[in-house]
Amino acid sequence: MPGLVLVGAQWGDEGKGKITDYLAETADAVVRYQGGANAGHTVVVDGKEYKLHLIPSGILTGKTCIIGNGVVLDPAKFLEEIKYLKDLGVQTDKLYLSETAHVIMPYHQKLDELEEDKRGEFKIGTTKRGIGPAYIDKAARTGIRVIDLLNPEVFRSKLTRNLEQVNFLLEKIYEVEGFNFEEIYQEYSGYVTKLKPFIRNTPVLINESLDENQKVLFEGAQGTLLDVDHGTYPYVTSSHPTAGGACIGSGVGPTRIDGVIGVAKAYTSRVGDGPFPTELLDETGDWIREKGHEYGTTTGRPRRCGWLDGVVLRHSARVSGLTGLAITRLDTLTGLEKLKIAREYRIGNEVIGNIPNDPELLRQVRPVYEELPGWKEDISHLTQFSDLPREAQHYIQAIEDISGVKAPIVSIGRERFQTIIRWPIW
Ligand code: IMP
């Protein structure tokens, strides 16, 4: 099985970084295929914490790491992250960057901020990293790609045209100061020498690896419910964190994907605005937030917490064709008397098994819960599924039953070794 995709099965922050890092040990290459520095992956190895935003978590295992064409790249953040890794003794000589990835410009960040403020009560709760505006330019065919930075004339011409439009918008509509061409031109031209060694035609590189039967892991950022097509639109990001996004964002055909692992927390969390049917606005929600340290890696924002939502998991299984689940943070639930999993939603007198596409209806649904007993024993040192307390085993089995997907991976702590593998993944 050389092509394996790993996606978030909820609203992001499911612990994909840890699972990627774990699977990367047996992979030859890891590819990040969408999003940008809005993501935040925390990985703990031998007690040392690594916080990554752009570079695939596979970098910690010394594997080939590729930032695919579907990513929007903030060059300053990318170079900062390389320095951060080098200072920690992590090698980056097998790190490659797609020449067709789009570049985040300072005006993208400014527009992200201004547009969020303008939305008022309808705000999305974006990370304000310029992600949405960068993808807008990509779709509008005005975007600046990594390859464009390498040609001073092309870069000059594209930046000139873009700034004409952006400065008009900023000055006339938002009534704020526009951007200075020379400042941006000099700053971004200054990145070129440092970026050059990493730049490659990455679809060729990735397909060659697959041709040689190497194991390639495609690492999604964010989560299924934040997908611009399959998420809780409009409260979503601007890319495709679902499995289909792996093909588009890295330049491989669907026939090269052999399995899809959905990473899901044993409960649910969400940052940003938008509907969240199983949200707990009570002390249990606060308890999970504190026990699980549920604060954003990128923005530090407190995450909204709630019970596990089986309707969400079935949706993720469907739109990404999940072949397995990795359940993370099971240890966080230790100590709760009772646990709940939403099996369906109720709306008025009707019981529904799917997420309604109308966000207003989604706001009105009430979860129909299945209640399960909790456990009190510390599980964070266990290595076998059969060693887990009976209640914890039942909880995992209930997740499998409700989602229709088996869970070969159960994570019980932040460290690599705190991972129960029930059967081989590839
Ligand atoms: P954007 O991606 O910054 O445009 O934000 C759009 C939505 O996606 C907001 O609700 C963000 O909070 C959410 N989001 C973006 N990146 C992440 C992530 O890595 N984890 C969880 N939520 C995210």
Side-chain angles (χ1 to χ4, degrees):
M1 185 190 276
L4 183 68
V5 179
L6 188 132
V7 297
Q10 297 159 320
W11 276 281
D13 307 316
E14 298 94 346
K16 294 178 295 296
K18 175 190 161 165
I19 305 298
T20 302
D21 170 68
Y22 188 89
L23 291 173
E25 281 196 314
T26 48
D28 296 293
V30 184
V31 183
R32 167 87 190 269
Y33 60 83
Q34 44 72 227
N38 49 349
H41 291 165
T42 306
V43 184
V44 180
V45 183
D46 298 332
K48 220 170 169 182
E49 190 174 86
Y50 300 84
K51 285 189 188 293
L52 298 168
H53 298 283
L54 261 171
I55 298 176
S57 321
I59 199 81
L60 304 176
T61 50
K63 301 300 165 73
T64 296
C65 280
I66 297 167
I67 297 186
N69 55 278
V71 168
V72 282
L73 183 95
D74 182 329
K77 291 254 168 356
F78 175 67
L79 295 169
E80 234 172 68
E81 209 159 289
I82 289 172
K83 182 173 178 321
Y84 162 80
L85 286 168
K86 280 193 171 154
D87 289 349
L88 290 169
V90 178
Q91 296 300 318
T92 54
D93 51 335
K94 286 196 276 180
L95 173 64
Y96 303 112
L97 167 64
S98 171
E99 54 192 13
T100 56
H102 280 245
V103 180
I104 296 194
M105 307 300 290
Y107 48 82
H108 291 140
Q109 281 166 12
K110 187 75 192 165
L111 288 170
D112 201 355
E113 275 172 34
L114 292 168
E115 283 165 10
E116 264 295 84
D117 291 346
K118 190 164 65 85
R119 285 183 195 114
E121 61 170 313
F122 299 107
K123 75 179 165 51
I124 294 164
T126 76
T127 58
K128 300 190 177 171
R129 295 290 191 272
I131 308 295
Y135 279 115
I136 289 174
D137 277 4
K138 177 175 176 171
R141 286 139 306 162
T142 53
I144 295 172
R145 303 182 300 172
V146 168
I147 198 168
D148 300 326
L149 297 180
L150 303 183
N151 184 329
E153 280 323 301
V154 171
F155 179 41
R156 180 173 283 280
S157 145
K158 284 196 162 191
L159 184 62
T160 305
R161 274 183 287 154
N162 286 0
L163 273 188
E164 267 170 29
Q165 218 170 338
V166 166
N167 282 344
F168 179 83
L169 191 65
L170 291 176
E171 287 159 9
K172 302 280 187 261
I173 309 291
Y174 287 106
E175 297 179 335
V176 296
E177 207 181 322
F179 281 89
N180 177 284
F181 172 89
E182 262 326 301
E183 271 175 29
I184 300 184
Y185 185 78
Q186 291 308 329
E187 181 191 339
Y188 278 66
S189 300
Y191 296 136
V192 170
T193 323
K194 287 186 178 156
L195 290 180
K196 242 181 186 162
F198 301 101
I199 302 172
R200 293 287 187 287
N201 184 339
T202 51
V204 171
L205 212 77
I206 300 165
N207 279 281
E208 278 175 0
S209 297
L210 289 165
D211 290 344
E212 288 163 18
N213 223 24
Q214 290 189 358
K215 288 178 178 162
V216 180
L217 180 64
F218 298 87
E219 174 192 4
Q222 289 88 42
T224 303
L225 277 293
L226 290 173
D227 186 285
V228 68
D229 270 73
H230 300 292
T232 45
Y233 192 88
Y235 300 97
V236 294
T237 191
S238 307
S239 64
H240 295 289
T242 41
C247 293
I248 303 289
S250 53
V252 303
T255 47
R256 312 221 72 170
I257 306 298
D258 304 280
V260 184
I261 298 289
V263 185
K265 268 181 190 159
Y267 48 94
T268 311
S269 73
R270 172 167 202 175
V271 272
D273 296 69
F276 179 178
T278 61
E279 182 169 15
L280 287 166
L281 296 165
D282 58 9
E283 61 218 28
T284 308
D286 296 341
W287 186 92
I288 294 175
R289 183 178 310 105
E290 293 315 311
K291 178 115 188 278
H293 311 289
E294 291 292 356
Y295 293 88
T297 312
T298 302
T299 57
R301 289 181 288 178
R303 295 181 185 141
R304 301 156 66 192
C305 295
W307 296 122
L308 186 67
D309 190 334
V311 184
V312 161
L313 293 190
R314 283 200 301 276
H315 174 78
S316 295
R318 192 179 306 121
V319 298
S320 279
L322 300 184
T323 55
L325 280 174
I327 307 293
T328 61
R329 302 282 191 122
L330 188 65
D331 53 305
T332 300
L333 297 181
T334 300
L336 282 174
E337 196 89 15
K338 292 221 180 314
L339 302 171
K340 292 185 186 181
I341 305 177
R343 195 177 259 282
E344 282 148 337
Y345 296 151
R346 186 182 296 280
I347 182 152
N349 290 329
E350 206 189 337
V351 173
I352 53 173
N354 300 319
I355 301 176
N357 285 321
D358 178 343
E360 276 322 301
L361 276 187
L362 184 54
R363 271 185 211 285
Q364 291 167 31
V365 300
R366 294 286 163 262
V368 179
Y369 285 117
E370 180 156 329
E371 203 170 279
L372 293 110
W375 59 91
K376 296 244 175 321
E377 305 89 323
D378 176 20
I379 58 169
S380 59
H381 57 287
L382 301 176
T383 54
Q384 301 293 323
F385 185 75
S386 53
D387 294 340
L388 286 171
R390 213 163 21 102
E391 295 82 358
Q393 291 187 33
H394 282 164
Y395 189 67
I396 298 292
Q397 283 152 358
I399 297 173
E400 294 180 324
D401 172 46
I402 291 170
S403 66
V405 187
K406 292 285 177 201
I409 306 175
V410 180
S411 170
I412 46 165
R414 283 151 56 95
E415 289 276 359
R416 260 184 208 162
F417 64 84
Q418 293 175 301
T419 315
I420 296 174
I421 302 292
R422 298 170 70 196
W423 55 86
I425 312 303
W426 54 2

